[in-house]
Amino acid sequence: MNKHKSDERFFERKRREAGVQLNEVQQQAVLHTEGPLLLLASPGSGKTTTLMMRTGYLIAEKGVNPARIKAVTFSRASARDMSERFAALFPELSDTRVGFSTIHSFAFEVVRAYYRARGETYQLIEGEIEQEAEDELREADLPILHKKPILRQLYRTMTGGGSLTEDQMDDLTTYISYVKNKMLPEDRWNEAKCELKDADKLLRAYEQYKLRGTDRLLLDFDDMLTVCHRALTEDPRLLRRYQHRYDYLMTDESQDTSLVQFGIVGLLAASHGNLCVVADDDQSIYGWRGAEPQYLLDFKRHYPSARLLKMERNYRSAPEIVDAAARFIRRNKNRYDKAMFTKNPTGGRIALRMLADYKAQAKYVTTALEGTPPDVTSAVLYRNHTSALVLVNALDRAGIPFNLKDGDKRFFSHWVTQDVLNFMRMAFTDRRPELLERIYPKLAGYITREQMNALLRIGGGQVSVFDTLIEQVPLKEYQVKQLRENKDTFGRMQAMNARQAIRTIRYNLGYERAIERLCERFGFRQEMLLGVLNTLEDIADGLETMTDFAERLKYLETLLRSARSRSREPGAVTLSTFHSAKGLEFDRVYMIDLADGVIPSNDDIRKYDKGDAADMEEAVRLFYVGMTRARRHLELICYQKKDGAAVKESRFMTAVRSFGGAGEHGGAGAAAVTADRVPRTAGAGAAGQPRAAAMARSGGSAIGAPAIPDAWQGELPAYLKAGARVSHRTFGPGVVLSADMEAIRVSFAEGDKKLLTQVCLEMGLLKPVKKRTT
């Protein structure tokens, strides 16, 4: 597209005023205002700036009324960011009313007009409700007009008294969103994946309740979209009203758009065709909730006259990272062919770490983050929420500030967590029948419901509930023996440290076997439930008593509530899932838990092995999103074992490992990818050489600190004797109380600290303090 002198003056003026200097493709995107445009924007390619410049160009140069421009994105944060960015780039237009909004807020406006014209009333049922308020409404026999309580009640009715766990509720609401966003007809609802049995029947009951269960129509957020689409399709006058309101439509982050959302935008643009779609098919990572990347690949079929532009220059990352990410994403076949590149200076690094054991991961990351300058931004990315808890625990103990992007605070109220705490309470007082009632189905005692009811009728007293059961309730002979063993086990738990107690609950009291039975019966994900138990064990590590453990859990729960407010603290590390990290960037990025079965998931692998590559391609895109968050420093981290079982490195990490040779752009990637397979013997590298020297000679990455194996296996220095005076890099001077191969206890001015021997010696955190001579 040829630029006129007025266009050139526009670009030059914004370069002087706002420092914005667009490349050739970005300028073409700004100038293509008439007709459909698909703008494919690689990570870090300046898409938001380009979109805002295009909006400003329409107003300032083409004289378009700002009210006739609609810019739609798919989160409130993105809509707010667009509005702020536009005001910063065009302060002279700050009083104009450009329609920056989410698709849901636009849909709500249409739905409101639709029902108002029909004279119908409705009520939104989204949002949380306090448990106390829900209980009060239920006791008063009043309708609870909130989505989740409605679903819980319908499930109880359908199952004859069953209850939904929070995990099942999440799975169910995701399933409902998927069905709605895919616009699946009712006879295909059972095709959508949901771990909850008969989810399609429950959805059918839910839809009926919303229509006829109360004196008004009930709508949730997903209904906003489906009703909006139906209204625009069925009501020509309403459609013309909104088509005539907007002359120019723009959608950002369009790879996250669902079929119903594309349908809404398509209806609005049908009258003039002035539609600009900004997207990156390589960053479409929300297929599980209905995103439809195939629509982008078919864009020219929907809009034959559309122009396609590719913003392939990355302004964010070092060439080493850009090169590796660009090569990695080419694993996918169902994508636009793009060649992401950068002109940024070299000097970035990708390091691959293979640790000896899962427990070394949090220690390694914590040590690598220690001493990071406040002006260097860092992030730790993972696929599953449970990965965050172990990191939160380790970072807090190390005194490293962090913010949690999207923490799952329900971990602390999860029924597995509450079960473990109730088992621990039983160890302190086994005289309360109501406490046993909470755990008896998961205890290796084979107590029946009838026997439990008999115990409740007898009530508590001054003797153990186990003695009461044995002496006053009819039992089988095998039950008597098992209950006596349980009583003895609970008694011994009082003297155990927290981790020993949890392992006793799992293996001696039968809790893990009970988990397996529950998974078989109700379809719970065993891997996820065992992950909760493993995380509890990790948190318990180093805590001397069960009371310490309970207090630690309460402290961490409070800490997570305040984690978001710490985001502006200098040097705060961001903890985030790969999904929530999209759109963000950091100087240093650590991607953890990179194992087959995690990313890609076992489900991804199973489907791929059967010839269905869709989920595997989405997993590739998710990994790519993680890689492209890093500016200069990217580490990929896995481990050889977890809970005693061998772990297979993620095939994605293996793929990046293969990039260790020369890169595709003039050798830019030659030294980009380095690997460090950490041996178990600390302090020595190949052939028993000191680790740092061995790494230097082998070309190992020098990023961060040496990786940490399970425990220090060298000799303790002579200065670490009880009573010796030492100085810690962070805590200052102190006196050694005790030291062994695992931990060093030191009394500092702020209190006693238990320090990991491994970390202190490898990082040189403790130094001897010489006695003064007179």
Side-chain angles (χ1 to χ4, degrees):
M1 181 178 291
N2 295 322
K3 292 193 286 289
H4 300 294
K5 287 191 179 296
S6 60
D7 298 334
E8 293 176 352
R9 287 195 296 270
F10 170 75
F11 292 125
E12 176 60 25
R13 177 165 57 85
K14 296 317 295 181
R15 186 189 67 78
R16 292 194 315 269
E17 293 175 352
V20 176
Q21 190 162 351
L22 302 186
N23 62 38
E24 184 60 31
V25 176
Q26 291 171 328
Q27 290 185 28
Q28 290 179 42
V30 169
L31 299 177
H32 185 93
T33 57
E34 310 305 308
L37 168 67
L38 176 58
L39 183 59
L40 295 174
S42 294
S45 59
K47 68 176 180 62
T48 304
T49 297
T50 303
L51 198 55
M52 295 305 94
M53 286 286 285
R54 188 176 188 274
T55 306
Y57 177 80
L58 283 169
I59 300 169
E61 298 299 311
K62 296 202 66 176
V64 174
N65 181 345
R68 302 193 67 78
I69 300 172
K70 188 65 176 176
V72 175
T73 187
F74 302 98
S75 74
R76 280 178 290 185
S78 296
R80 186 168 55 249
D81 180 58
M82 287 169 65
S83 181
E84 291 172 354
R85 294 280 288 276
F86 181 75
L89 282 175
F90 295 93
E92 71 277 15
L93 303 176
S94 60
D95 59 343
T96 60
R97 296 181 60 82
V98 179
F100 298 115
S101 75
T102 65
I103 187 69
H104 279 87
S105 66
F106 171 76
F108 178 64
E109 181 184 344
V110 174
V111 169
R112 188 170 50 196
Y114 175 67
Y115 282 122
R116 184 184 296 137
R118 294 162 62 96
E120 295 184 34
T121 59
Y122 62 91
Q123 179 171 331
L124 279 175
I125 56 172
E126 289 284 359
E128 298 296 331
I129 180 174
E130 294 293 332
Q131 188 61 52
E132 294 81 1
E134 183 178 339
D135 292 341
E136 287 179 13
L137 288 169
R138 186 168 283 113
E139 287 174 10
D141 200 26
L142 295 172
I144 307 169
L145 300 184
H146 290 267
K147 182 177 184 177
K148 290 183 179 179
I150 290 171
L151 289 169
R152 287 193 194 99
Q153 183 57 49
L154 291 171
Y155 183 77
R156 275 193 291 269
T157 302
M158 193 174 83
T159 59
S163 59
L164 285 169
T165 68
E166 286 301 315
D167 298 317
Q168 289 176 314
M169 178 64 77
D170 274 355
D171 206 29
L172 176 61
T173 52
T174 299
Y175 162 81
I176 293 172
S177 291
Y178 182 89
V179 166
K180 296 294 185 68
N181 278 278
K182 286 283 190 180
M183 295 198 295
L184 292 178
E186 186 174 345
D187 61 358
R188 293 183 56 200
W189 286 357
N190 62 344
E191 296 176 15
K193 176 187 173 184
C194 186
E195 296 290 337
L196 187 68
K197 185 180 178 182
D198 293 331
D200 58 323
K201 294 179 181 176
L202 184 56
L203 174 55
R204 202 166 285 113
Y206 175 59
E207 292 302 305
Q208 289 297 316
Y209 183 85
K210 286 190 297 178
L211 286 172
R212 303 181 182 90
T214 66
D215 60 352
R216 73 204 80 174
L217 176 67
L218 305 180
L219 300 177
D220 60 26
F221 285 159
D222 297 315
D223 295 326
M224 287 293 106
L225 299 175
T226 56
V227 173
C228 173
H229 185 269
R230 187 176 75 238
L232 295 176
T233 303
E234 296 177 355
D235 189 336
R237 291 178 59 188
L238 187 67
L239 176 60
R240 285 195 298 271
R241 170 181 165 185
Y242 282 98
Q243 284 178 334
H244 294 162
R245 178 179 294 184
Y246 303 115
D247 296 325
Y248 296 91
L249 295 171
M250 293 181 278
T251 66
D252 191 17
E253 300 287 356
S254 301
Q255 72 278 349
D256 298 334
T257 307
S258 67
L259 196 61
V260 67
Q261 293 167 347
F262 273 124
I264 293 169
V265 172
L267 287 168
L268 294 177
S271 61
H272 50 67
N274 295 331
L275 172 64
C276 172
V277 171
V278 184
D280 183 6
D281 54 308
D282 288 334
Q283 294 187 76
S284 180
I285 57 175
Y286 291 106
W288 47 274
R289 69 183 189 196
E292 192 72 42
Q294 188 60 41
Y295 188 93
L296 297 175
L297 300 175
D298 296 337
F299 194 78
K300 289 281 283 185
R301 182 167 63 82
H302 294 287
Y303 301 97
S305 64
R307 187 174 187 194
L308 173 64
L309 292 174
K310 300 177 183 179
M311 290 170 50
E312 297 166 305
R313 181 176 175 181
N314 180 298
Y315 290 89
R316 173 185 302 157
S317 305
E320 295 82 359
I321 295 171
V322 170
D323 179 79
R327 296 172 71 180
F328 175 77
I329 195 61
R330 290 188 193 125
R331 293 171 61 90
N332 281 355
K333 307 303 179 189
N334 196 32
R335 61 183 292 269
Y336 283 103
D337 184 26
K338 297 185 288 296
M340 183 172 62
F341 71 96
T342 188
K343 296 181 181 180
N344 290 341
T346 60
R349 175 82 66 177
I350 302 177
L352 286 77
R353 305 288 187 190
M354 177 57 73
L355 307 180
D357 188 84
Y358 167 75
K359 292 188 181 300
Q361 182 173 250
K363 300 173 187 175
Y364 170 72
V365 172
T366 300
T367 304
L369 290 168
E370 281 185 323
T372 303
D375 59 339
V376 174
T377 58
S378 301
V380 185
L381 308 182
Y382 38 83
R383 183 165 197 172
N384 300 322
H385 285 293
T386 51
S387 299
L389 267 297
V390 178
L391 283 169
V392 166
N393 191 47
L395 292 172
D396 177 68
R397 284 177 167 173
I400 297 174
F402 65 89
N403 72 84
L404 200 60
K405 185 73 169 61
D406 54 354
D408 185 1
K409 301 172 185 63
R410 293 167 312 165
F411 173 87
F412 303 97
S413 60
H414 194 283
W415 58 269
V416 170
T417 302
Q418 292 305 309
D419 280 348
V420 169
L421 289 173
N422 282 326
F423 270 91
M424 290 182 171
R425 292 180 183 111
M426 200 74 191
F428 285 104
T429 172
D430 66 354
R431 300 175 181 180
R432 294 168 53 194
E434 75 279 4
L435 189 53
L436 180 62
E437 185 184 22
R438 298 175 194 170
I439 62 171
Y440 82 92
K442 301 158 190 174
L443 174 66
Y446 313 107
I447 304 170
T448 66
R449 179 73 253 182
E450 291 75 16
Q451 291 165 341
M452 189 66 236
N453 287 338
L455 176 64
L456 291 170
R457 286 194 295 270
I458 295 169
Q462 299 302 310
V463 297
S464 165
V465 291
F466 299 107
D467 290 336
T468 303
L469 277 167
I470 292 169
E471 295 168 5
Q472 301 188 51
V473 176
L475 301 172
K476 303 289 186 183
E477 187 175 337
Y478 67 86
Q479 288 180 291
V480 174
K481 179 183 176 183
Q482 187 66 59
L483 291 174
R484 283 176 177 154
E485 290 180 3
N486 288 344
K487 178 185 176 183
D488 291 342
T489 302
F490 276 115
R492 290 196 304 274
M493 279 175 60
Q494 294 185 31
M496 296 178 185
N497 64 39
R499 189 168 183 270
Q500 289 172 332
I502 293 176
R503 295 188 73 79
T504 298
I505 293 166
R506 293 179 72 163
Y507 305 116
N508 296 73
L509 292 171
Y511 187 65
E512 191 151 319
R513 289 194 299 275
I515 290 286
E516 293 172 5
R517 291 194 301 270
L518 287 169
C519 291
E520 291 172 4
R521 183 178 177 187
F522 297 109
F524 297 150
R525 292 192 290 269
Q526 184 172 331
E527 182 181 334
M528 189 275 293
L529 299 180
L530 294 181
V532 175
L533 280 172
N534 294 335
T535 300
L536 291 171
E537 268 198 45
D538 291 328
I539 292 171
D541 200 20
L543 298 176
E544 294 186 356
T545 68
M546 291 183 284
T547 301
D548 292 340
F549 172 73
E551 290 175 351
R552 183 69 183 169
L553 280 184
K554 183 59 67 177
Y555 169 75
L556 290 174
E557 184 177 11
T558 303
L559 189 64
L560 259 63
R561 286 200 190 102
S562 63
R564 286 182 179 272
S565 64
R566 303 169 70 177
S567 60
R568 289 187 172 85
E569 189 173 342
V573 179
T574 295
L575 308 180
S576 173
T577 60
F578 294 126
H579 283 97
S580 292
K582 191 161 73 69
L584 305 179
E585 56 185 81
F586 308 91
D587 298 317
R588 299 183 180 183
V589 169
Y590 302 83
M591 294 168 59
I592 65 169
D593 287 329
L594 302 185
D596 260 8
V598 178
I599 184 165
S601 70
N602 286 322
D603 201 33
D604 298 334
I605 295 169
R606 279 192 294 270
K607 288 184 178 179
Y608 183 74
D609 290 343
K610 291 180 179 179
D612 183 357
D615 286 358
M616 183 65 78
E617 290 215 344
E618 179 157 322
V620 168
R621 296 193 293 266
L622 188 61
F623 198 91
Y624 171 77
V625 165
M627 293 179 71
T628 53
R629 300 311 94 198
R631 295 191 188 105
R632 307 288 295 174
H633 174 141
L634 174 64
E635 290 203 36
L636 310 181
I637 301 170
C638 190
Y639 31 80
Q640 294 171 319
K641 289 188 176 182
K642 183 175 183 180
D643 303 318
V647 171
K648 185 178 180 182
E649 174 184 276
S650 168
R651 61 193 65 192
F652 300 160
M653 186 167 167
T654 304
V656 177
R657 189 185 299 280
S658 71
F659 303 157
E664 293 186 354
H665 301 296
V673 182
T674 59
D676 179 20
R677 184 173 292 276
V678 181
R680 281 197 172 275
T681 303
Q689 300 163 338
R691 183 186 302 279
M695 285 176 62
R697 277 189 279 274
S698 67
S701 170
I703 295 177
I708 302 169
D710 293 336
W712 179 258
Q713 298 182 19
E715 294 183 3
L716 287 175
Y719 66 83
L720 290 180
K721 296 178 181 177
R725 304 184 71 80
V726 292
S727 180
H728 188 275
R729 186 186 299 174
T730 301
F731 304 123
V735 177
V736 177
L737 300 176
S738 64
D740 56 31
M741 295 297 190
E742 293 187 359
I744 306 167
R745 289 188 175 277
V746 185
S747 176
F748 296 103
E750 61 183 75
D752 295 351
K753 300 286 184 182
K754 181 181 178 182
L755 309 172
L756 294 173
T757 305
Q758 166 74 46
V759 177
C760 289
L761 296 183
E762 285 209 347
M763 298 302 297
L765 300 179
L766 282 176
K767 300 293 184 185
V769 175
K770 295 180 180 179
K771 293 181 180 180
R772 294 181 181 178
T773 56
T774 56

